[in-house]
Every structure is written in structure tokens, then in C-alpha cells.
Amino acid sequence: MQLEPLLAHIDPEGEIPPVDQWHPAHHGDMDLTISADGGWVHEGTPIARPRLIRLLSTLLRRESNGEYVLVTPAERQRIQVEDCPFVVVDADRQGEQWWLTTNVGDRVCLDARHRLRLSETPAGDVIPEVPVRFGLAARLGRNVYYRLVEQAQAREAEDGSLELGLTSDGGWHPLGRLEASAQDDDVAPCR
């Protein structure tokens, strides 16, 4: 499948199209993989153009069966995603809210609809992810994770363990559990 017909008449700088409302009759598979580090690879070749990646990301959704698809009004193409399709590359605090920015340009406020959730990566690490749109999530990038840990607070979790996290928009957003160091009484975030 060629990318050009799929992308005709889509503006990468415009708003996110209503891909959740599109249910085309034509279905297929595309040789496109989003790697765990957020890289996009088409037919074995990394896509190096950020505008093209942004454009493709606006057509992406996750189906109820867990499949990832690029969708237009005319067709739906299944792709492969190794972990979360997006990576959080920046975070900033504005008043009582934390805002996260993904590698494809989405900005998400940590709030009741966009809560950090601890989940396991394919490598077996437990790292927070946040819902972005249309069933898609972004995994916290390593640098952002450690920046947020520096700003985090500790509190007791429901199971009695200590948990690190942030308060944003009045809600708690976990970054990880704390465990005692084997060498001293310090605590360190599990990652």
C-alpha cells in the first residue's frame, strides 16, 4: 500500500480528523510499524519527516479489539505498534495543572480524562502512560519521567505501600511505587 493516496487532502497542521466516526468498507494491512521508542518505519525504512509522522498520527486510532489502524473515509489499514504509539517528550506545569507534549505534537492536560496509569512495557518495565485520543496512549519518555519524579510527592497507596505521583487538576497521577534500597533506608522509584 502506498502512503500518498491515503494522505491526499489531509492537512498535518490542521485539527485532528474525526477518525472515530469513519467506518470505511475497504480494509487492508500496511507495512508500517511504530517502534517502542516512537519511531515510524514504513516498508523497512524509517520515516524521517516530522510533518509526515504528524499527518499519519492524526489518522491513527485503536480499535476495540486492540488493533491499531490508519483510517480515512475511504479505507482502513492495520499497522503494527510495539508499545504505545506516542511518547511524551515534554512536561510543564501551569498553575495547578501538568501539561504533557507527545512526539507527534499532541498536548494533553493531566486531568480526570487523561490520568497517568502504570503499565508494563514489552521490555517488562513498569512506566506510566497517559491516554491521548481515540484509544491511543503515550508512554512517558525517560527524560520526562525523571523530571516528573523530581517534582513528585510520596503518599500511601491503597495497598499500604508508598507511591510517587503528581497532583494535577485536582487528581492524583501515579508515577510508580517506592521501594526501600537494600543498602540504606532511602527510597527509590521503581521503573
Side-chain angles (χ1 to χ4, degrees):
M1 158 102 207
Q2 294 296 316
L3 287 175
E4 291 78 19
L6 184 69
L7 303 177
H9 310 297
I10 304 289
D11 179 9
E13 302 297 324
E15 293 185 26
I16 305 293
V19 297
D20 58 329
Q21 299 172 20
W22 296 341
H23 305 286
H26 179 68
H27 296 198
D29 292 313
M30 179 183 282
D31 186 3
L32 178 68
T33 300
I34 302 174
S35 62
D37 67 2
W40 292 56
V41 180
H42 181 248
E43 296 179 350
T45 303
I47 299 174
R49 296 177 20 216
R51 282 179 51 95
L52 179 57
I53 292 171
R54 171 61 183 173
L55 176 64
L56 290 169
S57 78
T58 67
L59 301 174
L60 187 62
R61 76 176 182 212
R62 189 168 190 188
E63 304 288 55
S64 59
N65 64 4
E67 292 180 344
Y68 291 90
V69 296
L70 292 175
V71 62
T72 70
E75 62 184 308
R76 177 182 153 271
Q77 297 291 320
R78 185 176 34 237
I79 68 166
Q80 298 301 311
V81 177
E82 292 178 351
D83 188 21
C84 292
F86 308 138
V87 177
V88 174
V89 295
D90 196 16
D92 62 284
R93 186 178 186 134
Q94 296 176 2
E96 298 298 316
Q97 298 175 322
W98 279 95
W99 286 84
L100 307 179
T101 304
T102 70
N103 61 321
V104 295
D106 288 297
R107 277 188 47 86
V108 175
C109 177
L110 290 180
D111 59 18
R113 285 186 40 222
H114 303 98
R115 289 202 178 283
L116 285 179
R117 175 178 84 83
L118 300 175
S119 65
E120 191 170 320
T121 68
D125 297 320
V126 176
I127 301 173
E129 66 177 70
V130 63
V132 177
R133 55 182 154 84
F134 305 126
L136 306 171
R139 179 83 59 201
L140 289 186
R142 184 174 297 277
N143 291 341
V144 173
Y145 174 79
Y146 285 115
R147 279 182 40 215
L148 293 176
V149 164
E150 289 175 357
Q151 302 292 318
Q153 306 159 337
R155 77 172 199 185
E156 189 173 327
E158 291 178 11
D159 65 3
S161 66
L162 279 178
E163 183 177 63
L164 259 186
L166 303 168
T167 300
S168 178
D169 201 46
W172 178 255
H173 301 270
L175 290 168
R177 302 266 186 220
L178 293 173
E179 60 183 30
S181 169
Q183 306 210 337
D184 53 35
D185 293 330
D186 292 339
V187 291
C190 298
R191 185 162 206 283

